[in-house]
Amino acid sequence: MKLKVLHHDPAAHERKAGKITRYYRNPDPQLHPFERAREYNRALVATKLDKMFAKPLVAVLDGHTDAVKCMARSHKRVADLFTASCDGELRFWNMPTRTCTKAISAHDGFIRGLCVSPDDRLLFTGGDDKCIKTWKVEKNEGMTAMDWDEVLDEGNLVRGEEIDTSKLAKEVPALNVYMAKSAVTSLDHHWSRHLLVSTGDTVDIWDHHRSAPIQSFEWGCDSVICARFNPAEPCLIASTASDNTVGLYDLRGSSPIRKVLLKMRSNAVSWNPMEPLNFTVANEDCHLYTFDMRKLDIALNLHRDFTNAVLDVDYSPSGREFVAASYDRTIRIFRVSESRSREVYHAKRMQRVLCCRFTADTRYVVSGSEDTNVRVWKAEASKPLGPRPFRERQAMAYRDALKRKFQHLKEIRRIARHRHVPSLIKKHTEKRRIMAQAKKRKEENLRRHSRPGAVPFESVRRKPIKKQIE
């Protein structure tokens, strides 16, 4: 007779009850048993270091004597920036040296439209004086010694003193002047042809060699606010109007294609350069809406976080991000696929931001505000400027990979999303959150106490849209 030996295992009943969890590790001697814990700790430290070294403001370009109303950048030369103010002054900036190379008294009154030709040789401006003017842009343009001597003599200044750049503005004759029928609210140039689109009471198409518009569009609105050419389809134009509509126009036809009516007015529109079917509009309801032009009855995405009207929007040349400027004195950078902003930039003395642009190399963001200053920001707030050694670049790439690997964990996500904002914006954000929750709760109560189908559920992306007009 064989006796069965029983070995006492005090944890056997606990394992059967599911109270003890066994952890299996890779027996490979090349792998450390606590490798994941080490990587998580390094990702956490890297996320905290990003917050510590985040200094996005690079430079402040001053010299304008009135609010900076609009701006444009060169297509091929990263160093060139052009800004226009509400007093009719046009300025040419050299970004690396942070200096104004030319200042021109271009218009009487506001300059509301500014664009550059695809070859970066011509600059077009339009304003309240119903004029569209053409200016020549020279490569590596700057102030000569003779120009500086004239400024010194006229201002009775002594060489070596700080020069008031407002005295650089001169009456320079324009290459061409086109007379519009109404005040020009925006300008945009065709991506390949010698065509120009201007907005006012109508949407007008101009040729460089003709003094009158070759084509005009009108669709039952008092004024058109903004218009932009599609970067891929050369005949397509998107526009926003004062009657809360966003319209599409085709140069090959004599009438508009379609438009969508929103609940509030849109101030600006921008096409995605890498996905030309999609465009984003900046709306008065503090939100931005990304649409697919093939289906305008619902927005692809709704981008929020602003607490006041959004005034301008511009896409990065990569097509992955866009920057928006708001009346609440901040600018925000959004990823195309996300509804919340990735970065928010503000300064203590910065007033309402009227315009913003991405630079051609996607590394910087430029904003113009009512305090007459042009500010240059880093697109990545914690990235260092200038060239880096090879080992430092390797370390930065390793830290970025760790942050992407653990980005969804609670603590890292909380630290990465946190932003310091002014107290007024924080209060307005909390107030808007409470109002949105109350409205949502009211809709749910109505739906719960009504007969089925009487109060249908409406998507957030469809709520701002009233109807689509063919």
Side-chain angles (χ1 to χ4, degrees):
M1 182 177 180
K2 295 183 179 179
L3 297 177
K4 188 176 181 180
V5 181
L6 298 177
H7 299 281
H8 178 67
D9 188 358
H13 66 283
E14 295 184 3
R15 282 199 299 271
K16 291 181 180 179
K19 296 181 179 179
I20 295 180
T21 304
R22 285 188 175 182
Y23 295 94
Y24 298 93
R25 67 180 182 89
N26 196 326
D28 188 353
Q30 298 291 336
L31 300 178
H32 196 276
F34 302 114
E35 181 181 8
R36 186 174 180 82
R38 285 181 170 183
E39 288 183 347
Y40 171 78
N41 189 38
R42 290 170 182 171
L44 185 63
V45 172
T47 306
K48 292 180 179 179
L49 287 177
D50 281 351
K51 296 298 177 183
M52 294 174 60
F53 294 107
K55 295 182 179 180
L57 185 60
V58 178
V60 179
L61 310 179
D62 57 346
H64 279 291
T65 57
D66 207 337
V68 182
K69 180 62 179 176
C70 55
M71 61 176 55
R73 60 173 174 84
S74 177
H75 294 279
K76 300 177 182 177
R77 297 196 292 267
V78 183
D80 293 347
L81 178 70
F82 313 98
T83 59
S85 60
C86 295
D87 59 354
E89 185 184 33
L90 174 65
R91 282 183 175 255
F92 297 65
W93 299 93
N94 190 327
M95 298 283 285
T97 60
R98 305 175 186 177
T99 57
C100 174
T101 58
K102 181 185 285 188
I104 302 172
S105 297
H107 291 264
D108 296 330
F110 281 39
I111 298 180
R112 299 185 183 272
L114 187 63
C115 66
V116 186
S117 62
D119 56 1
D120 296 333
R121 295 182 180 180
L122 298 177
L123 181 68
F124 299 89
T125 59
D128 289 351
D129 56 0
K130 302 181 182 181
C131 293
I132 300 175
K133 296 185 179 181
T134 307
W135 311 91
K136 186 178 180 182
V137 180
E138 298 179 359
K139 190 175 181 180
N140 298 326
E141 188 174 18
M143 293 292 293
T144 62
M146 186 178 298
D147 295 332
W148 285 111
D149 291 337
E150 291 178 2
V151 173
L152 291 171
D153 294 339
E154 293 174 2
N156 297 323
L157 301 174
V158 179
R159 188 177 296 275
E161 291 184 354
E162 184 178 357
I163 298 176
D164 185 7
T165 54
S166 63
K167 299 180 180 180
L168 298 178
K170 297 182 179 180
E171 293 287 345
V172 178
L175 293 180
N176 289 316
V177 179
Y178 310 99
M179 294 302 300
K181 295 181 180 179
S182 61
V184 180
T185 56
S186 73
L187 285 177
D188 192 40
H189 200 283
H190 197 279
W191 288 73
S192 58
R193 298 167 59 186
H194 297 295
L195 295 179
L196 191 72
V197 58
S198 68
T199 59
D201 293 344
T202 58
V203 178
D204 298 328
I205 309 300
W206 302 80
D207 191 292
H208 290 190
H209 308 292
R210 298 191 181 184
S211 59
I214 60 175
Q215 203 169 0
S216 295
F217 296 98
E218 187 176 1
W219 199 351
C221 61
D222 295 335
S223 64
V224 184
I225 301 172
C226 180
R228 292 289 182 267
F229 274 105
N230 189 294
E233 181 58 45
C235 299
L236 195 63
I237 299 173
S239 68
T240 62
S242 58
D243 59 350
N244 302 351
T245 58
V246 178
L248 297 176
Y249 301 86
D250 195 334
L251 301 183
R252 295 167 293 187
S254 58
S255 62
I257 306 174
R258 66 182 69 171
K259 65 178 179 180
V260 58
L261 179 62
L262 305 180
K263 289 185 178 180
M264 298 190 72
R265 189 182 71 181
S266 297
N267 294 315
V269 60
S270 180
W271 291 94
N272 190 330
M274 293 300 168
E275 297 177 4
L277 295 175
N278 302 337
F279 62 90
T280 300
V281 295
N283 202 270
E284 287 278 343
D285 63 355
C286 314
H287 298 154
L288 297 106
Y289 302 97
T290 299
F291 288 96
D292 188 330
M293 69 176 185
R294 300 167 297 181
K295 189 177 181 182
L296 296 178
D297 59 342
I298 185 172
L300 283 179
N301 205 344
L302 183 148
H303 311 277
R304 62 189 77 188
D305 276 347
F306 284 115
T307 61
N308 214 321
V310 189
L311 302 181
D312 197 12
V313 59
D314 182 60
Y315 264 93
S316 167
S318 64
R320 299 177 180 177
E321 296 178 337
F322 61 85
V323 60
S326 174
Y327 201 76
D328 64 0
R329 306 178 186 180
T330 63
I331 61 173
R332 293 180 183 266
I333 300 177
F334 294 84
R335 292 189 179 94
V336 176
S337 58
E338 298 179 1
S339 61
R340 297 292 182 179
S341 60
R342 176 179 65 83
E343 288 287 353
V344 52
Y345 294 154
H346 57 88
K348 188 175 183 179
R349 295 177 177 86
M350 186 166 69
Q351 300 301 314
R352 303 180 181 105
V353 189
L354 304 180
C355 54
C356 59
R357 288 291 181 273
F358 255 103
T359 57
D361 58 353
T362 71
R363 296 178 59 190
Y364 301 97
V365 171
V366 187
S367 65
S369 54
E370 284 187 346
D371 58 1
T372 73
N373 288 327
V374 179
R375 290 177 172 84
V376 184
W377 313 80
K378 290 188 288 186
E380 297 285 343
S382 59
K383 293 294 181 183
L385 297 176
R388 302 284 106 186
F390 175 72
R391 294 188 63 182
E392 185 174 353
R393 283 186 277 119
Q394 276 190 321
M396 292 170 58
Y398 176 66
R399 290 195 295 267
D400 291 341
L402 289 180
K403 287 185 291 184
R404 287 194 300 269
K405 182 177 180 180
F406 296 97
Q407 62 182 341
H408 300 294
L409 296 185
K410 184 177 180 180
E411 186 68 13
I412 293 181
R413 183 175 57 187
R414 182 189 66 82
I415 296 173
R417 289 182 58 183
H418 179 72
R419 295 290 184 275
H420 287 285
V421 294
S423 59
L424 184 62
I425 295 178
K426 187 175 181 180
K427 292 178 181 177
H428 285 180
T429 303
E430 183 66 19
K431 183 179 179 180
R432 288 178 60 85
R433 186 185 65 81
I434 296 173
M435 292 169 62
Q437 288 181 351
K439 188 175 181 180
K440 183 179 178 181
R441 188 165 55 249
K442 182 178 180 180
E443 290 179 357
E444 291 177 352
N445 291 337
L446 284 174
R447 192 177 297 110
R448 187 181 299 112
H449 295 89
S450 302
R451 68 176 184 270
V455 185
F457 176 79
E458 190 176 12
S459 173
V460 178
R461 297 180 297 160
R462 199 184 293 271
K463 281 184 178 181
I465 301 170
K466 285 188 175 181
K467 63 178 178 178
Q468 181 180 348
I469 305 172
E470 295 289 345

